Amino acid sequence: MDHTQAYAIRDGMFRDMGLVKGAIAWGQLLVDDPSVYNAVHGREIYEGVRLMNPGTDAAIVTDKYMRRTQAATADYVRGIQNPRRDPKTAALNAAGKYKNNMQKALNENRYEAGIRNYDVADAVRIATEDGGAAYASGIQKRQGKIGAMHARLMPKLGAISQAIQQMPQDSEGARDQRMIANVRMLRELKGKV
């Protein structure tokens, strides 16, 4: 396929689907069909000049992003320490927006789409290539938060345990009732810690 054929496909999508839906379909075609992507990406229009349509090469964008984020760590820290608005208040004020967007995502099955695109092997590689150092470091940084959560949770779990221990356990049916009561109390506790 050459660029003329590829652009004819694009123009047909824009015409038949409208600009917005056509652009989304065109972008997906560029992802799905390397022959279309190659026909329009990096095409030499003059000697030494390449037309980077439909956009910069993904590897170039990724490289630039990685270099710039490494160089911007001080800006990141400064931004976190000096927010333009109270982040907690802003998040609470956006609760309705969050709920609406979450419902929209559920209605559009975005969860399933995200899972289908999930690369398990890559996720495992990322999570384990440092031997768990990032995991341990993250846990250590959150020690105060974890301790506060445990301070709220453990008395409630203790109360459930005491209630279960007061129940009879002489028969299999009684033990079944203890297990069912335990599950019900734990479910009731969910979201209240």
Side-chain angles (χ1 to χ4, degrees), residues 88-161:
K88 188 173 181 177
T89 301
L92 288 171
N93 289 342
K97 176 182 174 184
Y98 170 81
K99 184 177 180 180
N100 290 337
N101 287 342
M102 183 61 73
Q103 191 60 54
K104 184 177 179 185
L106 292 170
N107 292 339
E108 294 175 1
N109 296 317
R110 290 187 200 163
Y111 175 81
E112 292 88 346
I115 296 299
R116 277 191 290 281
N117 291 325
Y118 179 59
D119 184 338
V120 175
D122 193 47
V124 169
R125 179 192 61 77
I126 291 167
T128 61
E129 70 185 356
D130 68 351
Y135 169 76
S137 173
I139 295 297
Q140 292 299 315
K141 289 179 196 177
R142 292 163 182 82
Q143 182 176 351
K145 185 177 184 178
I146 292 166
M149 184 272 300
H150 284 157
R152 294 187 308 271
L153 175 63
M154 290 305 140
K156 295 174 182 179
L157 289 179
I160 290 172
S161 176

Side-chain angles (χ1 to χ4, degrees), residues 167-175 178:
M167 295 176 69
Q169 59 178 323
D170 296 336
S171 68
E172 195 170 296
R175 289 189 294 278
R178 283 169 60 113

Side-chain angles (χ1 to χ4, degrees), residues 149-164 180-193:
M149 184 272 300
H150 284 157
R152 294 187 308 271
L153 175 63
M154 290 305 140
K156 295 174 182 179
L157 289 179
I160 290 172
S161 176
Q162 289 173 12
I164 296 300
I180 291 168
N182 186 49
V183 167
R184 286 183 177 153
M185 285 187 267
L186 289 173
R187 284 182 183 157
E188 182 66 27
L189 181 60
K190 187 176 180 180
K192 297 180 180 175
V193 178

Side-chain angles (χ1 to χ4, degrees), residues 26-132:
W26 171 246
Q28 190 60 50
L29 181 62
L30 292 171
V31 170
D32 293 341
D33 190 337
S35 69
V36 176
Y37 182 86
N38 291 333
V40 297
H41 191 270
R43 180 170 55 93
E44 190 169 61
I45 55 174
Y46 302 104
E47 186 176 337
V49 178
R50 296 196 171 279
L51 185 64
M52 296 303 281
N53 196 5
T56 306
D57 184 275
I60 293 170
V61 173
T62 301
D63 177 64
K64 182 177 178 180
Y65 175 78
M66 299 307 290
R67 283 184 289 108
R68 290 192 174 180
T69 54
Q70 285 296 318
T73 55
D75 294 333
Y76 168 79
V77 170
R78 191 170 28 261
I80 294 294
Q81 292 173 336
N82 299 284
R84 289 178 290 178
R85 59 184 178 266
D86 178 349
K88 188 173 181 177
T89 301
L92 288 171
N93 289 342
K97 176 182 174 184
Y98 170 81
K99 184 177 180 180
N100 290 337
N101 287 342
M102 183 61 73
Q103 191 60 54
K104 184 177 179 185
L106 292 170
N107 292 339
E108 294 175 1
N109 296 317
R110 290 187 200 163
Y111 175 81
E112 292 88 346
I115 296 299
R116 277 191 290 281
N117 291 325
Y118 179 59
D119 184 338
V120 175
D122 193 47
V124 169
R125 179 192 61 77
I126 291 167
T128 61
E129 70 185 356
D130 68 351

